[in-house]
Amino acid sequence: MAGLCHFATSQILPRASLSLEVLLCERFWAQAFDITAAEPFHPLSIMVLSFQSVTQLLSGGTMPVIGLGVYLNDECAVACQVALEEGYRMIDSARYYRNEAQVGVGVRRSGIPREQIFITSKIYHVDFGFARARECIQESVDQLGLGYYDLYLIHSPVTGKEKRIATYRALVEAKKDGLVKKIGVSNYSGKHIDEIIDAGLELPDVNQIELHPFCQQRPIVEYCRAKGITVQAYSPLVTGRMDHDVFRQLAKKHDKDEAQILIRWSLQKGYIPLPKSSRSERIRSNAQVFNFELDNDDMDALDALDQGGKGAVTWNPVEEP
């Protein structure tokens, strides 16, 4: 049975017949569209997606279903401005990217009210530890120049348990102080999140991991969905490795390009894709993903490309001890 995230008929399946994967996916979309458990879940309702669509976060509030990544884009103010004018409402940065100030410039130039934009940054492992993390979060907010971050993440599990937990405590404190609204992690596996639970700290709202058809991180996705943690997908365009026959065939079938196929796959899986580009035309093209659907066969063909960890195209440090 195909997963409910890409079930493409009008049949409403009895809940008792649904697999764990399907029920977890239903839970994600039920939260995203505020569907109560008592209401029948119609598979086609997941296809009603747009730039205005949001997902519910575990601690309350919402987040857009797609964002612009700005890694390797030192002068990203123009890209941010173009994206916001195109309809994006989320920008994903990090201290490691060294462009937090540029994000702030782009936001201000766009004229879009700050409260309508969801901005993320991350703390890198060289700055881990409670005291240093508190300093860095304040520096990030100052660099951005917009008062606060909507989401702040631990960039990776590198450095070991003690520093991970101390850094996460710093994020919790920053949230209490109003510097950040939501907190989360990146590149974490279930065992790393279990440490947070064992420490008696609040669960992260988000886990941002490498996700695309070649590297689907299924155990981590299942874990996060079971805990109500939203999964963001970085490198959804497999860092340009888009010359696969399946991508080309589906692009031709839907009269789309390969990047649009990959972003749509991510959306229909219930992930939050963060495609990155510094080119205005590509930013606009990557936004054209809300006017078509991948059918059941399309999704199955893409799902079949999974290579597990071997399919990763970035550092993917999810197995850090």
Side-chain angles (χ1 to χ4, degrees):
M1 181 189 300
L4 192 56
C5 273
H6 55 265
F7 200 80
T9 76
S10 60
Q11 179 185 8
I12 301 177
L13 300 177
R15 293 182 60 80
S17 72
L18 301 180
S19 67
L20 174 61
E21 178 186 2
V22 172
L23 287 169
L24 290 173
C25 204
E26 173 181 336
R27 175 179 175 178
F28 172 88
W29 287 110
Q31 290 175 336
F33 291 98
D34 198 25
I35 301 168
T36 66
E39 294 173 335
F41 184 82
H42 198 297
L44 289 183
S45 69
I46 67 169
M47 301 305 176
V48 184
L49 291 169
S50 72
F51 266 133
Q52 288 71 50
S53 299
V54 296
T55 183
Q56 296 287 331
L57 295 174
L58 181 63
S59 68
T62 62
M63 180 174 68
V65 298
I66 188 171
L68 173 72
V70 294
Y71 177 49
L72 295 179
N73 190 352
D74 296 339
E75 301 294 326
C76 68
V78 172
C80 293
Q81 182 180 352
V82 169
L84 292 168
E85 290 171 349
E86 188 65 26
Y88 292 78
R89 288 296 179 267
M90 178 159 59
I91 300 170
D92 179 77
S93 182
R95 285 180 58 81
Y96 180 73
Y97 304 169
R98 299 184 182 276
N99 57 15
E100 292 170 307
Q102 283 284 301
V103 171
V105 171
V107 169
R108 286 188 289 272
R109 286 179 181 171
S110 76
I112 307 296
R114 170 66 182 93
E115 62 272 14
Q116 295 181 18
I117 304 170
F118 194 100
I119 309 175
T120 301
S121 194
K122 315 174 194 73
I123 186 167
Y124 200 51
H125 63 266
V126 295
D127 293 321
F128 281 9
F130 183 84
R132 178 58 182 154
R134 287 303 309 269
E135 293 174 0
C136 290
I137 296 167
Q138 184 65 63
E139 288 175 7
S140 289
V141 173
D142 292 344
Q143 284 285 311
L144 182 66
L146 296 171
Y148 64 92
Y149 273 97
D150 298 273
L151 176 66
Y152 209 89
L153 309 177
I154 294 180
H155 207 148
S156 82
V158 175
T159 70
K161 177 180 177 180
E162 184 177 345
K163 278 198 169 182
R164 283 194 293 265
I165 291 298
T167 304
Y168 195 79
R169 290 186 189 277
L171 266 65
V172 171
E173 290 300 310
K175 180 179 177 181
K176 290 178 181 176
D177 291 344
L179 295 175
V180 303
K181 291 192 171 183
K182 306 293 178 184
I183 60 175
V185 295
S186 180
N187 295 298
Y188 269 42
S189 65
K191 66 183 180 183
H192 302 127
I193 298 174
D194 283 341
E195 295 172 357
I196 294 172
I197 297 171
D198 293 343
L201 299 172
E202 64 182 87
L203 277 169
D205 273 298
V206 169
N207 187 12
Q208 185 183 125
I209 55 177
E210 179 177 342
L211 269 178
H212 47 75
F214 297 140
C215 181
Q216 297 180 33
Q217 311 261 37
R218 294 179 183 181
I220 299 176
V221 170
E222 266 191 32
Y223 176 98
C224 288
R225 285 190 171 148
K227 300 289 187 186
I229 298 168
T230 297
V231 177
Q232 287 186 328
Y234 74 77
S235 295
L237 305 182
V238 292
T239 62
R241 285 176 48 190
M242 293 185 285
D243 58 349
H244 196 281
D245 285 345
V246 172
F247 303 161
R248 286 196 295 262
Q249 290 164 7
L250 293 179
K252 183 178 180 180
K253 174 181 175 180
H254 292 280
D255 194 25
K256 290 289 181 178
D257 64 33
E258 289 85 351
Q260 292 163 339
I261 295 297
L262 288 166
I263 295 168
R264 185 69 202 191
W265 173 84
S266 193
L267 287 167
Q268 288 184 217
K269 293 291 286 186
Y271 312 143
I272 309 298
L274 303 167
K276 67 180 182 68
S277 182
S278 60
R279 295 163 49 201
S280 297
E281 65 274 18
R282 174 51 62 187
I283 292 169
R284 295 186 179 100
S285 176
N286 288 346
Q288 305 306 308
V289 293
F290 298 107
N291 57 357
F292 78 104
E293 299 170 9
L294 297 173
D295 64 29
N296 208 40
D297 291 338
D298 299 338
M299 294 296 288
D300 287 343
L302 292 165
D303 287 352
L305 300 179
D306 190 22
Q307 300 170 28
K310 293 180 179 179
V313 296
T314 68
W315 65 327
N316 192 38
V318 295
E319 296 302 328
E320 282 287 320

